[in-house]
């Protein structure tokens, strides 16, 4: 089971200071469980893992099989919560050099609709021009510009390359049950489709088809991912005592640090495969907390890579930060450092050691240095980087985020700030219905 260590934050927040939040965490748990918190129509994630049935997993797997059989490449079109969860899990589980080592057993998974880069889309369509490809179109609203733009291009290309009948088989929609252009299109074209439950917001949706289908298409064990989340749902339940509940402890420690002036949390990993877990985490916490002039700013670094860039700032910059390290106890492979007769690089003192031992000593050395430098360190450890432990990690963060937002007294489940750029973009592009805004913005720009 995932472990949480708060002892290296004790110089700033002691165990007693964290424990002082016990009753507020209990109230937060109650508000989530009883649905009395702000945004209570978006609490579907809370008991989502335990509600997933083997039949549902089988249905996802059956659709994944069709795509795996019919496609060499599958493009997942989506942005934000409709993208980052799948990307994070796939990157964490797949070979670091998947592009180069793909043995044809699994389709190549590509992502689009998460940016509007013309070169990106051009190069993607060029790459796909000789591929048997399919598309998973993911959008809860069904109207997100980035995703809709990419999907229109990909749909046309897929139909042209593979014919309308095959395209119908290899395009899958994951969207709202009734609303939005993605639903209209899926129903009209007769695509296989999955529903994003009304009460699950994008950034909490990785354990719905939004994440599960792409992860299954990539060839990973979604039953184990769900099992990990189910176990964590139990381990973080309201009935679990505060002192034994990792999500409650993490939420309380973060809040204590925040009130002690630590406004920035840096999520640290020592495995390049975890890079996108950090991106997913940043969205989860950033979009949930950052409102009403409040919220911890979620940042991330990949160590030891970034020790050679951001390490300086972390060690000696402004003391408004704390770190949360995700540590993986056991790598999936073993690689011993070789001895060398000439020892020209002077590294024979490492001969016979596992590379991971060097990595772990870098981790420990960094923790000591950063704590000495005034950076409180929280540490989350998982025994392996596999589907089961990723499931635990995902639910752990979701629950902690839900709890922490109650402490902050913000609505964890809306994102009103995201709309501001969209209104201006539509006005600037002359979207019908935005005439007044177009006029206003033109005047402002002169
Ligand atoms: O967390 C969220 O709600 C957002 O990040 C959305 O997932 C993102 O904006 C994409 O929205 P949609 O799925 O409606 O296309």
């Amino acid at each position: 089971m995932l472990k949480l260590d708060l002892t290296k934050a004790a110089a700033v927040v002691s165990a007693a200071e964290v424990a002082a939040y016990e009753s507020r965490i209990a109230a937060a748990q109650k508000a989530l469980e009883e649905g009395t918190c702000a945004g209570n129509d978006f609490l579907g994630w809370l008991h989502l893992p335990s509600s997933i049935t083997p039949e549902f997993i089988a249905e996802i797997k059956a659709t994944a099989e069709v795509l795996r059989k019919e496609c060499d490449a599958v493009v997942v079109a989506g942005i934000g919560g409709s993208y980052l969860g799948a990307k994070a899990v796939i990157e964490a589980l797949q070979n670091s050099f998947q592009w180069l080592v793909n043995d044809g057993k699994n389709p190549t998974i590509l992502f689009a609709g998460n940016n509007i880069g013309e070169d990106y889309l051009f190069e993607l369509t060029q790459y796909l021009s000789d591929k048997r490809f399919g598309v998973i179109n993911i959008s809860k609203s069904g109207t997100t510009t980035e995703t809709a733009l990419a999907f229109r291009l990909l749909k046309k290309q897929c139909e042209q390359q593979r014919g309308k009948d095959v395209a119908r088989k290899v395009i899958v929609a994951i969207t709202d049950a009734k609303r939005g252009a993605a639903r209209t299109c899926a129903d009209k074209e007769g695509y296989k489709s999955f529903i994003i439950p009304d009460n699950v917001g994008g950034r909490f949706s990785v354990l719905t088809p939004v994440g599960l289908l792409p992860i299954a298409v990539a060839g990973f064990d979604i039953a184990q991912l769900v099992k990990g989340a189910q176990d964590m749902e139990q381990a973080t339940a309201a009935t679990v005592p505060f002192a034994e509940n990792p999500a409650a402890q993490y939420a309380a420690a973060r809040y204590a640090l925040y009130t002690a002036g630590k406004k920035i949390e840096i999520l640290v990993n020592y495995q390049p495969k975890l890079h996108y877990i950090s991106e997913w985490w940043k969205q989860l916490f950033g979009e949930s907390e950052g409102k009403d002039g409040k919220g911890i700013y979620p940042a991330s670094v990949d160590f030891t890579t970034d020790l050679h860039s951001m390490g300086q700032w972390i060690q000696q910059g402004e003391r408004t930060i704390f770190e949360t390290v995700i540590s993986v106890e056991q790598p999936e492979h073993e690689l011993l450092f070789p001895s060398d007769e000439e020892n020209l690089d002077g590294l024979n003192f490492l001969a016979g050691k596992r590379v991971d031992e060097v990595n772990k000593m870098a981790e420990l050395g960094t923790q000591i240095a950063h704590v000495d430098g005034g950076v409180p360190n929280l540490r989350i450890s998982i025994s392996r980087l596999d589907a089961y432990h990723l499931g635990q990690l995902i639910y752990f963060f979701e629950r902690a985020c839900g709890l922490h937002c109650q402490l902050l007294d913000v609505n964890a489940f809306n994102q009103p700030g995201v709309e501001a750029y969209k209104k201006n973009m539509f006005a600037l592009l002359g979207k019908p219905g935005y005439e007044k805004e177009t006029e206003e913005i033109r005047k402002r720009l002169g």
Side-chain angles (χ1 to χ4, degrees), residues 100-177:
L100 304 171
V101 303
N102 197 344
D103 53 9
K105 284 193 190 132
N106 297 301
T108 301
I109 309 295
L110 302 142
F111 291 87
N114 56 66
N115 65 68
I116 321 177
E118 186 162 349
D119 288 344
Y120 183 92
L121 283 167
F122 179 86
E123 286 158 14
L124 175 67
T125 51
Q126 206 175 36
Y127 169 80
L128 293 170
S129 63
D130 60 353
K131 304 282 182 305
R132 293 185 324 135
F133 78 94
V135 186
I136 305 176
N137 185 32
I138 310 179
S139 177
K140 186 168 184 200
S141 62
T143 54
T144 301
T145 310
E146 289 87 340
T147 307
L149 197 145
F151 181 65
R152 182 186 281 207
L153 286 165
L154 292 164
K155 176 178 184 283
K156 275 195 188 305
Q157 187 176 356
C158 187
E159 287 170 350
Q160 272 159 14
Q161 276 176 221
R162 310 200 64 181
K164 266 223 157 215
D165 286 345
V166 178
R168 266 191 208 105
K169 229 169 132 184
V170 297
I171 297 178
V172 177
I174 304 178
T175 186
D176 187 81

Side-chain angles (χ1 to χ4, degrees), residues 90-106:
I90 292 170
E91 292 269 319
L93 294 177
Q94 77 181 3
N95 189 297
S96 307
F97 305 96
Q98 182 68 21
W99 286 93
L100 304 171
V101 303
N102 197 344
D103 53 9
K105 284 193 190 132
N106 297 301

Side-chain angles (χ1 to χ4, degrees), residues 57-354:
I57 289 180
E59 189 192 344
I60 299 262
K61 279 186 175 171
T63 303
E65 258 332 292
V66 174
L67 291 172
R68 286 171 62 78
K69 194 163 147 261
E70 300 289 337
C71 306
D72 302 321
V74 174
V75 187
V76 180
I79 194 166
S82 292
Y83 148 65
L84 283 164
K87 174 84 173 166
V89 173
I90 292 170
E91 292 269 319
L93 294 177
Q94 77 181 3
N95 189 297
S96 307
F97 305 96
Q98 182 68 21
W99 286 93
L100 304 171
V101 303
N102 197 344
D103 53 9
K105 284 193 190 132
N106 297 301
T108 301
I109 309 295
L110 302 142
F111 291 87
N114 56 66
N115 65 68
I116 321 177
E118 186 162 349
D119 288 344
Y120 183 92
L121 283 167
F122 179 86
E123 286 158 14
L124 175 67
T125 51
Q126 206 175 36
Y127 169 80
L128 293 170
S129 63
D130 60 353
K131 304 282 182 305
R132 293 185 324 135
F133 78 94
V135 186
I136 305 176
N137 185 32
I138 310 179
S139 177
K140 186 168 184 200
S141 62
T143 54
T144 301
T145 310
E146 289 87 340
T147 307
L149 197 145
F151 181 65
R152 182 186 281 207
L153 286 165
L154 292 164
K155 176 178 184 283
K156 275 195 188 305
Q157 187 176 356
C158 187
E159 287 170 350
Q160 272 159 14
Q161 276 176 221
R162 310 200 64 181
K164 266 223 157 215
D165 286 345
V166 178
R168 266 191 208 105
K169 229 169 132 184
V170 297
I171 297 178
V172 177
I174 304 178
T175 186
D176 187 81
K178 295 194 189 83
R179 283 163 299 158
R183 169 53 59 198
T184 312
C185 172
D187 289 348
K188 184 175 166 287
E189 297 287 0
Y191 299 149
K192 169 77 184 165
S193 68
F194 289 93
I195 293 166
I196 308 175
D198 268 348
N199 61 357
V200 180
R203 55 191 174 275
F204 288 85
S205 70
V206 53
L207 299 168
T208 72
V210 170
L212 296 180
L213 182 65
I215 294 164
V217 173
F220 299 113
D221 191 341
I222 54 169
Q224 278 303 305
L225 186 79
V226 169
K227 173 82 175 80
Q230 287 169 341
D231 288 353
M232 188 50 69
E233 184 186 329
Q234 276 186 18
T236 56
T239 47
V240 176
F242 176 75
E244 293 157 31
N245 186 322
Q249 291 280 315
Y250 180 51
R254 289 179 89 241
Y255 192 69
L257 287 162
Y258 180 63
T259 50
K262 306 295 176 188
K263 307 287 187 196
I264 300 166
E265 178 177 15
I266 305 176
L267 192 71
V268 178
N269 70 69
Y270 284 82
Q271 307 291 341
K273 287 181 176 196
L274 285 173
H275 176 84
Y276 272 94
I277 288 286
S278 298
E279 297 303 314
W280 169 83
W281 172 89
K282 283 194 278 194
Q283 191 212 356
L284 177 68
F285 280 88
E287 242 178 23
S288 300
E289 289 188 11
K291 52 200 67 153
D292 307 338
K294 299 183 224 177
I296 297 174
Y297 182 83
S300 66
V301 288
D302 300 324
F303 284 171
T304 62
T305 312
D306 292 334
L307 282 171
H308 298 258
S309 58
M310 295 306 291
Q312 171 58 39
W313 200 104
I314 295 169
Q315 189 70 45
Q316 295 182 327
E318 199 181 346
R319 302 297 74 185
T320 46
I321 56 172
F322 67 99
E323 289 177 307
T324 298
V325 177
I326 302 181
S327 185
V328 180
E329 283 163 20
Q330 269 304 321
E332 297 301 298
H333 306 287
E334 184 175 293
L335 183 63
L336 297 177
F337 197 71
S339 171
D340 188 277
E341 253 175 47
E342 290 188 89
N343 194 27
L344 293 176
D345 52 14
L347 288 180
N348 267 354
F349 73 102
L350 296 177
K353 289 193 195 301
R354 287 184 68 167

Side-chain angles (χ1 to χ4, degrees), residues 29-47:
Q29 291 274 35
K30 193 163 180 273
L32 291 178
E33 288 295 345
E34 293 181 0
T36 52
C37 59
N40 54 5
D41 40 354
F42 284 98
L43 287 169
W45 59 274
L46 195 63
H47 296 298

Side-chain angles (χ1 to χ4, degrees), residues 370-391:
H370 287 182
V371 171
D372 285 351
V375 182
N377 262 243
L378 312 182
R379 188 167 185 270
I380 295 162
S381 51
I382 52 174
S383 49
R384 288 182 53 192
L385 195 49
D386 57 13
Y388 176 73
H389 291 92
L390 282 171

